[in-house]
Amino acid sequence: MAPTPPKLHLNLYWHMHQPDYRDLSTGEYVLPWTYLHAMKDYSDMVFHLEQNPKARVSFNFVPILVEQLLDYAEQLESNTIRDPLLALLVEPDLAAINEDKCRLIVDSCFKAHHEKMLSPFPHYQRLLNIYQQVEPMMTDSYDFHYLSEQYKADLLVWYHLAWCGESLRQESKVIQGLMEKGVLFTLEDREQLLVEIKETIKSLVPRYKALMQSGQIEISTTPYYHPILPLLIDFDSTKDAMPDAPLPTHTQYAGGASRAKAHVEAAQQYHQEVFGELPNGMWPAEGGVSHPALSLMAEHGVKWAATGQGVLANSLIKSGESVVDKHQYLYAPYRITNGKDSILCFFRDDSLSDKIGFEYSKMHSSDAVKDFIDNLESIRNINPKKPKVVSVILDGENAWEYYPYNGFYFLKELYEALVNHPDIIMSTFSDIVELKKSGHFPKAEVLPEIAAGSWVYGTFSTWIGSEDKNNAWDLLCDAKLMYDKVINGLDAEKQTAAERQLAICEGSDWFWWFGDYNASDSVESFDQLYRRNLINLYELMGQVVPDNLHKAISEGGGDAENSGTMRRGQDA
């Protein structure tokens, strides 16, 4: 008689991140994505866990995202809004706004996935139809004569209604009333909508914290401004998975090891301030790992980290092991050690993670959930004597706009199916750490070699190795050399401001967007903000701004899947 396989442990891990969208020279937000995702995704994701107390998952909150969420809450509470688009929502006299603000409205308020977020709402679709008729009649000076004050009011309201999470639509009488009204929104309507946005954003951190304190979820962190630690430490780490990749002209990022350490320490400190305890785990930005990067986290008491399936495969090959059958190696964490400190590292199941990120949005929710469960059961039944830990790791915010109803019914049914399955245990990464520590799980194997890489293809190709990306790194390296030269000559206030501005520039997001495979408008907005940040740094240092910071780094022109906001772990 065949042995009964042990229960399968599932680690669902939702990564929440937005870079710092503020221009520190003005304090204004240049892009609105933090508050929009707060309304739509961060609110829905916590709601699902509140509605199903037996479901257990892990969330990763990047400190700079949490900082912005708390900043938005403070802005809304004090009525000092520093986001131009959000401020326009409650502008009393939309007839009198200038051309730039009119342009901001029409350029921003159709940025939503058309099939799932715009066309389902006839009044919103009608506003787009009107604009498409009027736009050809506009002159080069952007004459907004045909777009009335009422048009702007209705467009602003519908854009924010479209970015409301499904839980908000189902729970809020105000949102329901506005959607039913549909047209001719008044200033009072717009003010009521802003109150709903305020209350939603204010509640987010306390709601997640309450679930953490109850033990239902685990919250981990990321180095503060989301830098790729291995690249800060050593550009040559790129060569582990891409031996022929061209690198920046600068052979290294000056002082990168100390900068990596600063991001790790700042993240731990901020996480403790906000959530009341040190995090056990850390998602290194972009799942970017190397032996020095993992050792750095271990030295700082981080108990676990996670990265991509491709990194594990490359690491096993580097260690002389076979990677023919993923069922032989993927579904268990490994221990990485520098001889003194060690860390447990989990590895993403690319297939299951990418199914949620890219495939299930095209399926009926019940069919998608069945497929997911069938896959887990299949994993459990292969090598039945071996306990399995399946790590499904993905973006917790960008996938849902491609699902009907923001993924509401998929997630609801998924959690219900998982908690009621007799052979699946929803767990957190720290659960597995404790099970191994107590001897209830087999001791983790030591992974002899780590091949540096990320969760995307197991390489760093998304952030380095092409002309545009390398150019962006060289601009940062130039600024860092100047920073090192002058920082000690600045007063304490300027030193603090310059260090913060440098840290923002070190984030991974800027490099993600450079490349001809991304859409031009997205590349342009991130290119401009990256260069604005570098310009601010030079100005804070009292130095002449290099001419090349006034020239675009990348133009884009592609049509990346899911608008380029997400990548698959492996090529489709």
Side-chain angles (χ1 to χ4, degrees):
M1 185 176 179
T4 301
K7 292 187 178 184
L8 178 145
H9 285 259
L10 173 66
N11 287 340
L12 268 177
Y13 192 23
W14 306 114
H15 173 55
M16 309 299 208
H17 167 58
Q18 296 294 323
D20 196 339
Y21 291 120
R22 291 167 290 194
D23 181 341
L24 295 191
S25 67
T26 64
E28 282 201 346
Y29 282 80
V30 177
L31 295 170
W33 305 120
T34 296
Y35 87 81
L36 292 174
H37 282 294
M39 295 162 52
K40 186 171 79 71
D41 304 303
Y42 309 144
S43 59
D44 267 6
M45 292 299 276
V46 72
F47 178 84
H48 285 293
L49 274 301
E50 291 167 337
Q51 295 300 301
N52 196 331
K54 292 181 180 179
R56 301 188 69 237
V57 304
S58 300
F59 286 95
N60 187 72
F61 273 94
V62 180
I64 189 53
L65 167 62
V66 178
E67 182 185 315
Q68 290 177 91
L69 291 174
L70 295 177
D71 182 40
Y72 270 107
E74 190 280 327
Q75 291 177 62
L76 289 161
E77 188 65 28
S78 62
N79 197 30
T80 53
I81 300 173
R82 288 178 282 104
D83 186 301
L85 186 63
L86 187 57
L88 281 166
L89 178 61
V90 288
E91 167 62 45
D93 188 2
L94 287 169
I97 61 174
N98 62 31
E99 188 176 283
D100 288 342
K101 290 181 178 179
C102 290
R103 173 56 51 187
L104 177 63
I105 293 172
V106 296
D107 282 351
S108 301
C109 290
F110 297 116
K111 286 184 177 177
H113 186 237
H114 189 279
E115 181 185 348
K116 298 298 193 298
M117 294 179 64
L118 196 154
S119 62
F121 307 114
H123 293 300
Y124 193 11
Q125 178 66 56
R126 191 174 300 118
L127 293 170
L128 175 60
N129 295 343
I130 291 170
Y131 181 68
Q132 289 172 335
Q133 292 293 316
V134 168
E135 186 183 22
M137 295 184 283
M138 291 179 165
T139 66
D140 290 339
S141 62
Y142 298 128
D143 181 359
F144 287 87
H145 175 74
Y146 290 101
L147 300 179
S148 69
E149 176 182 14
Q150 188 63 62
Y151 178 89
K152 296 167 199 170
D154 285 11
L155 180 55
L156 282 161
V157 170
W158 267 111
Y159 183 60
H160 287 88
L161 290 176
W163 274 91
C164 284
E166 187 63 22
S167 60
L168 197 54
R169 291 178 192 156
Q170 293 189 14
E171 298 290 312
S172 169
K173 298 298 183 185
V174 170
I175 300 301
Q176 292 168 5
L178 292 172
M179 295 186 78
E180 185 176 350
K181 182 177 182 180
V183 295
L184 302 176
F185 296 114
T186 65
L187 177 59
E188 182 181 0
D189 291 332
R190 292 186 277 133
E191 289 172 340
Q192 287 181 340
L193 177 54
L194 187 70
V195 170
E196 291 297 300
I197 294 171
K198 178 183 76 171
E199 295 304 320
T200 299
I201 294 176
K202 275 178 57 181
S203 73
L204 288 175
V205 171
R207 290 165 73 187
Y208 280 96
K209 186 176 179 180
L211 292 181
M212 182 200 75
Q213 291 173 333
S214 74
Q216 187 179 354
I217 68 171
E218 177 171 11
I219 302 178
S220 62
T221 191
T222 290
Y224 202 101
Y225 287 94
H226 208 261
I228 299 181
L229 297 183
L231 296 182
L232 289 189
I233 295 169
D234 184 6
F235 284 159
D236 278 343
S237 64
T238 306
K239 300 282 189 176
D240 264 11
M242 300 163 52
D244 299 322
L247 296 179
T249 302
H250 289 267
T251 57
Q252 63 179 349
Y253 183 62
S258 64
R259 294 297 309 140
K261 179 182 177 183
H263 282 276
V264 169
E265 292 176 347
Q268 290 180 308
Q269 179 181 344
Y270 189 70
H271 189 96
Q272 186 165 32
E273 289 175 5
V274 173
F275 295 108
E277 61 186 43
L278 281 170
N280 284 331
M282 186 168 280
W283 170 255
E286 314 295 5
V289 297
S290 62
H291 201 280
L294 287 167
S295 294
L296 174 66
M297 288 183 273
E299 290 162 7
H300 283 78
V302 179
K303 294 181 176 65
W304 63 263
T307 182
Q309 180 178 332
V311 171
L312 177 57
N314 291 340
S315 298
L316 289 169
I317 292 169
K318 190 175 181 180
S319 302
E321 302 289 339
S322 170
V323 294
V324 173
D325 181 5
K326 72 177 183 181
H327 294 279
Q328 300 295 331
Y329 62 83
L330 180 59
Y331 300 115
Y334 292 76
R335 188 162 297 283
I336 290 85
T337 180
N338 59 12
K340 179 183 177 183
D341 302 291
S342 65
I343 188 170
L344 207 62
C345 196
F346 295 81
F347 297 90
R348 177 184 194 261
D349 184 308
D350 283 343
S351 175
L352 283 175
S353 303
D354 288 346
K355 278 175 178 283
I356 295 177
F358 295 91
E359 303 302 330
Y360 288 156
S361 59
K362 305 164 191 171
M363 299 169 62
H364 191 281
S365 58
S366 59
D367 294 332
V369 170
K370 182 180 184 303
D371 183 80
F372 190 81
I373 298 294
D374 287 348
N375 274 271
L376 291 178
E377 290 175 343
S378 176
I379 291 168
R380 175 176 176 261
N381 290 324
I382 296 174
N383 296 338
K385 292 182 181 180
K386 196 173 182 180
K388 308 286 177 57
V389 178
V390 179
S391 297
V392 173
I393 305 171
L394 69 151
D395 187 314
E397 58 209 357
N398 286 309
W400 312 121
E401 64 195 75
Y402 300 95
Y403 281 73
Y405 303 100
N406 205 43
F408 185 90
Y409 295 101
F410 168 73
L411 286 166
K412 180 177 183 292
E413 292 176 31
L414 177 65
Y415 286 154
E416 288 173 350
L418 289 170
V419 300
N420 290 313
H421 197 289
D423 299 317
I424 297 173
I425 298 173
M426 297 186 77
S427 59
T428 68
F429 294 96
S430 286
D431 290 342
I432 306 303
V433 172
E434 289 304 313
L435 285 170
K436 287 188 173 291
K437 186 177 178 181
S438 66
H440 289 90
F441 247 47
K443 188 176 180 181
E445 294 181 31
V446 173
L447 192 57
E449 300 280 353
I450 284 288
S454 78
W455 69 271
V456 184
Y457 316 146
T459 76
F460 293 127
S461 61
T462 302
W463 304 273
I464 197 169
S466 67
E467 182 178 356
D468 292 353
K469 297 176 192 295
N470 289 348
N471 182 25
W473 276 108
D474 281 324
L475 293 173
L476 177 58
C477 289
D478 289 340
K480 179 59 163 59
L481 290 174
M482 181 60 71
Y483 174 92
D484 291 342
K485 182 178 178 181
V486 306
I487 188 65
N488 290 331
L490 303 178
D491 62 42
E493 184 178 348
K494 284 279 182 66
Q495 283 189 22
T496 300
E499 194 277 334
R500 181 184 182 195
Q501 185 66 78
L502 174 68
I504 292 171
C505 296
E506 292 168 338
S508 72
D509 298 83
W510 322 117
F511 307 96
W512 169 288
W513 286 102
F514 299 134
D516 57 9
Y517 50 84
N518 282 315
S520 296
D521 57 345
S522 295
V523 172
E524 181 182 16
S525 61
F526 279 87
D527 187 333
Q528 289 177 348
L529 185 51
Y530 178 62
R531 288 183 290 112
R532 178 70 255 175
N533 283 321
L534 285 171
I535 288 168
N536 288 346
L537 178 58
Y538 278 97
E539 291 176 345
L540 283 167
M541 296 188 296
Q543 301 300 308
V544 175
V545 176
D547 289 341
N548 54 8
L549 289 181
H550 298 292
K551 301 173 184 175
I553 298 168
S554 187
E555 295 182 357
D559 185 23
E561 192 173 19
N562 284 17
S563 301
T565 58
M566 300 172 64
R567 297 267 193 276
R568 293 176 184 263
Q570 300 178 18
D571 283 320

